Amino acid sequence: GIIPATLGWSKSVRGDFREMFIHHVVTNLLIIGSSFFRFTRVGSMVFLVHDISDVPVDLSKLANFLKWKTTTALCFAAMVFVWCLTRLGALPFVIY
């Protein structure tokens, strides 16, 4: 017979798991779609914008893990600056 199964999130996932999951699905669809429809410039910018802002995010997470409060704050400020510069500044003008 058929064994009924339920799907759900693990109890150990972070609070923003759903939002990040949706974010990553949409990002991948944008990249795959840009390749399929030959919008290479758009796909390249999506990659660039995400990769550049990931560096200060990861450094901030590392500093937070090490309990370096000042470094965490500086890395977070750098991430906000880079995020605004790339996603609000560069992305709309380059893909247009």
Side-chain angles (χ1 to χ4, degrees):
I2 297 176
I3 300 171
T6 59
L7 294 176
W9 304 120
S10 170
K11 299 289 184 212
S12 64
V13 298
R14 292 175 35 154
D16 64 346
F17 181 79
R18 286 187 185 120
E19 291 82 2
M20 291 306 296
F21 181 78
I22 292 168
H23 164 78
H24 285 97
V25 168
V26 170
T27 300
N28 283 302
L29 288 174
L30 283 171
I31 293 166
I32 292 166
S34 70
S35 179
F36 181 78
F37 292 108
R38 300 192 187 276
F39 291 132
T40 310
R41 197 169 177 182
V42 175
S44 298
M45 279 308 297
V46 171
F47 271 131
L48 181 68
V49 163
H50 281 79
D51 286 347
I52 287 176
S53 61
D54 278 350
V55 174
V57 168
D58 293 337
L59 290 175
S60 181
K61 287 180 180 179
L62 176 64
N64 188 42
F65 177 75
L66 295 172
K67 308 284 191 248
W68 295 352
K69 295 194 183 303
T70 304
T71 306
T72 301
L74 288 172
C75 289
F76 180 77
M79 183 272 306
V80 170
F81 176 75
V82 170
W83 189 91
C84 289
L85 187 68
T86 57
R87 296 189 192 192
L88 302 177
L91 182 67
F93 296 105
V94 173
I95 65 170
Y96 179 71

